[in-house]
Each structure stands twice: as structure tokens, then as C-alpha cells.
């Protein structure tokens, strides 16, 4: 059941590009920690199931770097991490610091499918930027940096991820202090 953040007739201003960018950097640092812990857990489970001798042989042969199972688990864990926060309170930890929130146009929380569309659209652009970096080298800066900026830059208040997920990122006003 969607959570209502404010009245449907109350309109909050779209979040600025600077606040979005700072929240992305903050959440990126948290994501690195989540990915490290997930990789450690995956490695421990895989080593326990397949045997540590097998893992040691793969490591010596250089075959551990392209594990599709690990890639899938990391992608899934990052989706669950972001979608949980987006669907519950509309904010990740970085968004809370910069006072921005993801919500529907009527002020309600986004659904899991909206969170998936938002996550996949951002991941696709990020993946294409990494792919371009692999094949084009330093020339990638001329392609990937504008693509990443275009992904999150709000045009008329909505970025590409906002449009793709039928939601928007809004700035949360400060509450007046009683006293």
C-alpha cells in the first residue's frame, strides 16, 4: 500500500541538479560498502559449497574475475537496497542528508515496479558508459560524462529516470521551528 508523504494538492519543488548529484555521491559511497560486504558473503558461501581448494585453483588461474553469479547477486542486492528505501520512505540515506525524496506526482510513495524501472534505466546508462570505456578508452569521457549528466539532469523538473519511472525527485522544505 503506497504511503502518502503529503496532500495530493500540495506541490513540492523539483530537486536541483546539485542536490541530486551530491546525494548520488553519498549513496555511491554507501553502495561500495554494501557491494564489498555482499561480495564477501558470496565468496564465503561459494567457497563453502564448492570447496576452498577449487576456489584457490580458480584464483591462481585468474578465473574468479568473471563470475556471472556474483554479477547477478550484486545487481539484485543493489536493486533491493535502493528499492527498499524508495518504496518505504522515498529516500535513500544520501537523499535524507540532502533533503530530497522520490515520490509520485500525487505525493505517494513509488511502487516496486517503478523502483525497478528507475534502477534499470540508471543501470543501463551506467553499463553503456562502462562498456564505452572498455572499448574507447579515454575518449569515453566525451561520451559517458554527458550521458550520466543527461540521465539525472532535470529538464522541466524531471530527469530521464523520473520520466521512465513516472515519478519525480522533489526538494523537502525545512519545517518551521516552534518557539
Amino acid at each position: 500500500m503506497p504511503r502518502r508523504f503529503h496532500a495530493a494538492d500540495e506541490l513540492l519543488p523539483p530537486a536541483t541538479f546539485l542536490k541530486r548529484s551530491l546525494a548520488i555521491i553519498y549513496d555511491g559511497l554507501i553502495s561500495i560498502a554494501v557491494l564489498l560486504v555482499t561480495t564477501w558473503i558470496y565468496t564465503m558461501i561459494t567457497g563453502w559449497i564448492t570447496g576452498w581448494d577449487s576456489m584457490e585453483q580458480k584464483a591462481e588461474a585468474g578465473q574468479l574475475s568473471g563470475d556471472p553469479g556474483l554479477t547477478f547477486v550484486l545487481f539484485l542486492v543493489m536493486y533491493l537496497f535502493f528499492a527498499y528505501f524508495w518504496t518505504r520512505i522515498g529516500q535513500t540515506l544520501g537523499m535524507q542528508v540532502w533533503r530530497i525524496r522520490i515520490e509520485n506526482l500525487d505525493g505517494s510513495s513509488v511502487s516496486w515496479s517503478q523502483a525497478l524501472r528507475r534502477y534499470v534505466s540508471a543501470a543501463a546508462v551506467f553499463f553503456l558508459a562502462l562498456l564505452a570505456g572498455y572499448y574507447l578508452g579515454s575518449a569515453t569521457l566525451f561520451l559517458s560524462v554527458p550521458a550520466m549528466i543527461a540521465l539525472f539532469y532535470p529538464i522541466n523538473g524531471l530527469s530521464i529516470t523520473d520520466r521512465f519511472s513516472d515519478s519525480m525527485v522533489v526538494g523537502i522544505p525545512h519545517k518551521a521551528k516552534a518557539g
Side-chain angles (χ1 to χ4, degrees):
M1 178 168 189
R3 178 180 174 189
R4 179 145 317 270
F5 297 120
H6 55 81
D9 59 346
E10 180 184 0
L11 294 177
L12 296 177
T16 64
F17 179 68
L18 179 63
K19 282 189 172 187
R20 288 175 186 242
S21 300
L22 292 171
I24 289 169
I25 291 169
Y26 195 101
D27 286 333
L29 294 173
I30 295 169
S31 296
I32 290 170
V34 170
L35 292 173
L36 286 171
V37 170
T38 304
T39 302
W40 178 78
I41 291 170
Y42 179 86
T43 304
M44 292 295 118
I45 292 171
T46 305
W48 181 67
I49 292 172
T50 62
W52 291 106
D53 293 334
S54 171
M55 291 287 286
E56 185 177 354
Q57 289 172 354
K58 285 183 180 180
E60 289 173 357
Q63 297 174 342
L64 287 179
S65 62
D67 186 358
L70 176 61
T71 303
F72 174 75
V73 167
L74 293 176
F75 189 82
L76 180 64
V77 165
M78 289 314 303
Y79 164 67
L80 294 173
F81 172 78
F82 283 105
Y84 174 79
F85 284 107
W86 290 340
T87 58
R88 299 276 303 202
I89 59 174
Q91 299 173 293
T92 58
L93 299 173
M95 296 170 84
Q96 290 176 20
V97 169
W98 295 104
R99 301 192 53 79
I100 60 177
R101 176 176 54 227
I102 296 173
E103 60 184 41
N104 288 319
L105 298 175
D106 66 354
S108 62
S109 62
V110 296
S111 66
W112 282 86
S113 64
Q114 285 176 295
L116 180 63
R117 289 185 304 210
R118 183 174 201 86
Y119 180 75
V120 167
S121 64
V125 171
F126 187 69
F127 173 74
L128 291 175
L130 289 176
L131 193 63
Y134 180 76
Y135 286 109
L136 300 176
S138 62
T140 305
L141 290 176
F142 298 111
L143 299 172
S144 61
V145 171
M148 296 301 270
I149 290 172
L151 180 67
F152 298 108
Y153 188 80
I155 299 171
N156 294 330
L158 298 174
S159 68
I160 292 173
T161 54
D162 294 339
R163 294 174 199 279
F164 194 66
S165 64
D166 296 324
S167 62
M168 65 184 300
V169 179
V170 297
I172 302 171
H174 291 279
K175 294 181 180 177
K177 292 183 180 180

